[in-house]
Amino acid sequence: MSGAEAPGRMDGHGPLWVVPHEVPAIVPLPSRSTEPRWVGVYRWAAVGGDLLAAMLGVSIALLTRFGYHVGPSYLVVSSLLPPAWVGVVALSKGYDPRYFGAGPDEFRSLMRSGVGLTAAVAMTSYVTKTEIARGFVVLAIPVMVVSALLLRYALRKDLHRHRVRGRCMHRVLVVGRSGPAATLCEHLEKRPTDGFRVVATCRPRGDGHGHLQPDELAEPDILAAADRHAVDVVAISTDPELVGQSLRRLSWALEQRGIELIVSPGIIEVAGPRISVRPVAGLSLLHLERPSVSGGPHLMKAVFDRVVALGFIAVLSPLLIGLALAVKVSSPGPVLFRQQRIGRGGDEFTMLKFRSMYSDAEQRLGDLYALSDGNGVIFKMRDDPRMTPLGRWIRRFSLDELPQLFNVLRGDMSLVGPRPPLAEEVALYAADDSRRMLVKPGMTGLWQVSGRSDLSWDESVRLDLRYVDNWSMTLDLLILWKTVRAVAYGAGAY
């Protein structure tokens, strides 16, 4: 494909994107399909980790089930399981570079592989009439999957550390008009751990105010810009002119160069499970599913919340009794602090916490409003003089919130959800903010694992709305996992 006829040319006159109507002859171009060195290192480390996890699972299952008296047939099965595990992970796209270091797909592939390997072992045993002890399989594969997940998590964290330092990044060329291109650049570079570094932007001549900013490109050809800056990815922002056949031809040209093409649909704060592409009337249409705010999944969430809350209460009962005694002895006043909060659908409920302030805290609040370290809506002080010495400590590790397990047990709250608001906060809600009350408030949530009191009001609302729009049990489990780290570090807890 000649440079003069390359798709995506921007000339500043007529249509924004000028693309030949006839497909030009394809001429072989030097391909940049060679992967960056870090991709190969990560893949081989992932393969090594999966082999190690498989051998660990097999060894534990053999020792637990048979001790040191292992028959020859099980030695053969045990030697075949590790390479079979790696093969199943590969078939599940567990070594696909697109998923390295970002998103849940890398972990989902491992869980799918565990199910697939269990089915394959059962089918092979049935077809070959080989007797394989169920206890061996039931122990080996779960240990294998859990070990692989932990090792892959550690590998991902190591990659994130490199990316924070600016290494192991994908070089990105952003293409589009001023506003959408700037928004896409901002989102791509907001989280360096996702691995995207915008090295250049390509916009129409005369776009915006008719002149180019220092970080914009003067090249009129997308392909020339991609070649000049040796990019790995071309990211197309939302643009009505670069669609259909124009985008298709551009993808062909980038494919020859070994460059990945990604297209932003312009939809923000919507998770992947709610987005699907379906063929309709010969077109690939993007479908946006409605968020799940009721029905079967939320019944399962309610059952899960109550069972886990009851379990926590039983296990932590000595700690709860100890904290209650400590609060009672440390300062005069009630053990529990009760406050009216707004729950799902605008219903009021009484939220419980261990008292962390002196009994006259509410009366002294008016004198301290001017000193608030909060976000303009929620009152917070890092060194609140109303706090008791014990209260500072239990707030540091969020122990004051443990009585909310009884709120969960009663059905007023959930383990995970938006922050439970006060009535005066709800009175300040904009129209969109009210969506936070479509689900039950939670003991923890995206707000707690993302900074808590250090967040601005807009950031808190954005995180709560993201949770409501993208809720799933997987997301709840992920937030609960991250809450352990957030509580241990105590970031934003005051």
Side-chain angles (χ1 to χ4, degrees):
M1 185 180 294
S2 65
E5 294 178 325
R9 171 158 301 185
M10 301 179 291
D11 57 6
H13 302 284
L16 178 63
W17 308 102
V18 179
V19 180
H21 292 287
E22 296 181 2
V23 178
I26 296 178
V27 178
L29 292 172
S31 175
R32 277 185 276 142
S33 59
T34 303
E35 293 178 338
R37 182 174 177 273
W38 72 265
V39 172
V41 172
Y42 189 97
R43 180 184 289 112
W44 282 112
V47 171
D50 291 341
L51 284 174
L52 180 61
M55 289 187 286
L56 180 65
V58 167
S59 301
I60 290 176
L62 286 176
L63 290 173
T64 303
R65 183 67 175 79
F66 305 107
Y68 294 98
H69 305 285
V70 182
S73 61
Y74 280 96
L75 290 176
V76 173
V77 171
S78 301
S79 64
L80 292 177
L81 272 181
W85 167 248
V86 172
V88 173
V89 173
L91 290 174
S92 299
K93 299 183 179 180
Y95 307 120
D96 192 327
R98 291 177 298 174
Y99 307 138
F100 288 171
D105 292 289
E106 190 175 8
F107 300 119
R108 284 179 185 154
S109 67
L110 294 175
M111 291 186 283
R112 286 197 303 267
S113 299
V115 176
L117 184 59
T118 302
V121 170
M123 188 176 298
T124 303
S125 173
Y126 175 78
V127 171
T128 61
K129 302 186 185 309
T130 303
E131 292 293 332
I132 300 179
R134 287 189 295 271
F136 172 78
V137 176
V138 167
L139 186 57
I141 295 182
V143 171
M144 195 181 302
V145 172
V146 172
S147 301
L149 286 170
L150 292 175
L151 290 171
R152 192 67 69 94
Y153 178 78
L155 183 60
R156 174 177 284 206
K157 286 300 178 183
D158 183 63
L159 176 61
H160 287 177
R161 284 191 288 270
H162 283 285
R163 284 178 168 175
V164 168
R165 299 185 182 99
R167 300 192 291 264
C168 305
M169 306 290 280
H170 298 289
R171 295 171 58 85
V172 182
L173 169 69
V174 172
V175 180
R177 296 179 183 271
S178 300
T183 301
L184 182 56
C185 288
E186 179 184 353
H187 281 277
L188 289 177
E189 294 192 317
K190 183 182 296 183
R191 290 173 42 178
T193 52
D194 286 344
F196 292 103
R197 177 193 292 149
V198 178
V199 296
T201 59
C202 190
R203 306 200 317 205
R205 292 180 179 177
D207 190 23
H209 299 290
H211 61 275
L212 296 174
Q213 301 295 329
D215 63 338
E216 295 171 0
L217 297 178
E219 290 85 352
D221 194 324
I222 299 174
L223 298 178
D227 291 335
R228 171 176 295 187
H229 294 274
V231 300
D232 307 305
V233 178
V234 170
I236 309 294
S237 62
T238 309
D239 196 297
E241 302 291 344
L242 191 59
V243 293
Q245 193 68 8
S246 305
L247 191 59
R248 188 183 184 194
R249 289 172 178 166
L250 177 61
S251 70
W252 292 341
L254 293 175
E255 179 185 352
Q256 295 179 56
R257 289 163 165 79
I259 299 174
E260 184 179 355
L261 174 66
I262 58 178
V263 181
S264 168
I267 302 173
I268 62 172
E269 304 294 356
V270 177
R274 286 187 56 207
I275 300 175
S276 60
V277 178
R278 303 176 192 167
V280 177
L283 300 173
S284 296
L285 301 183
L286 193 69
H287 286 249
L288 186 62
E289 308 294 345
R290 290 180 295 177
S292 172
V293 295
S294 62
H298 276 265
L299 177 60
M300 181 174 64
K301 176 182 173 72
V303 173
F304 174 81
D305 285 340
R306 285 175 167 83
V307 170
V308 174
L310 186 61
F312 273 133
I313 291 172
V315 172
L316 299 177
S317 55
L319 176 61
L320 292 170
I321 294 171
L323 287 172
L325 292 173
V327 172
K328 187 66 177 177
V329 171
S330 63
S331 63
V335 171
L336 293 177
F337 173 70
R338 292 175 168 85
Q339 191 174 47
Q340 293 301 112
R341 297 291 181 111
I342 306 300
R344 183 179 182 183
D347 297 331
E348 281 197 357
F349 70 96
T350 302
M351 190 183 74
L352 304 176
K353 298 176 73 171
F354 280 126
R355 182 174 55 83
S356 59
M357 295 184 176
Y358 294 105
S359 55
D360 62 345
E362 291 295 318
Q363 289 75 25
R364 298 164 59 186
L365 179 60
D367 300 331
L368 300 174
Y369 262 118
L371 304 176
S372 174
D373 296 316
N375 50 34
V377 177
I378 303 172
F379 176 83
K380 288 284 185 178
M381 282 188 70
R382 295 182 183 275
D383 297 310
D384 197 324
R386 303 171 300 158
M387 199 90 66
T388 66
L390 176 65
R392 294 185 190 280
W393 183 79
I394 63 175
R395 279 205 177 189
R396 165 68 174 76
F397 297 102
S398 299
L399 297 176
D400 61 317
E401 298 178 5
L402 288 178
Q404 292 171 25
L405 289 169
F406 292 96
N407 286 118
V408 176
L409 202 58
R410 289 191 316 202
D412 298 326
M413 294 178 62
S414 175
L415 291 174
V416 183
R419 177 186 168 276
L422 295 164
E424 52 265 33
E425 296 171 20
V426 175
L428 299 176
Y429 278 3
D432 294 342
D433 301 347
S434 299
R435 286 184 61 83
R436 299 168 77 186
M437 293 185 290
L438 289 176
V439 298
K440 292 179 183 179
M443 290 183 63
T444 184
L446 284 176
W447 50 275
Q448 183 158 353
V449 300
S450 304
R452 300 158 88 176
S453 299
D454 291 334
L455 297 173
S456 69
W457 174 253
D458 289 340
E459 288 171 329
S460 299
V461 171
R462 179 176 56 82
L463 288 172
D464 283 344
L465 293 180
R466 180 192 297 175
Y467 175 82
V468 172
D469 284 341
N470 302 300
W471 174 84
S472 68
M473 284 302 300
T474 303
L475 179 60
D476 275 8
L477 294 174
L478 179 62
I479 291 173
L480 288 172
W481 169 260
K482 289 187 175 183
T483 298
V484 176
R485 184 177 61 181
V487 169
Y489 284 106
Y494 52 89

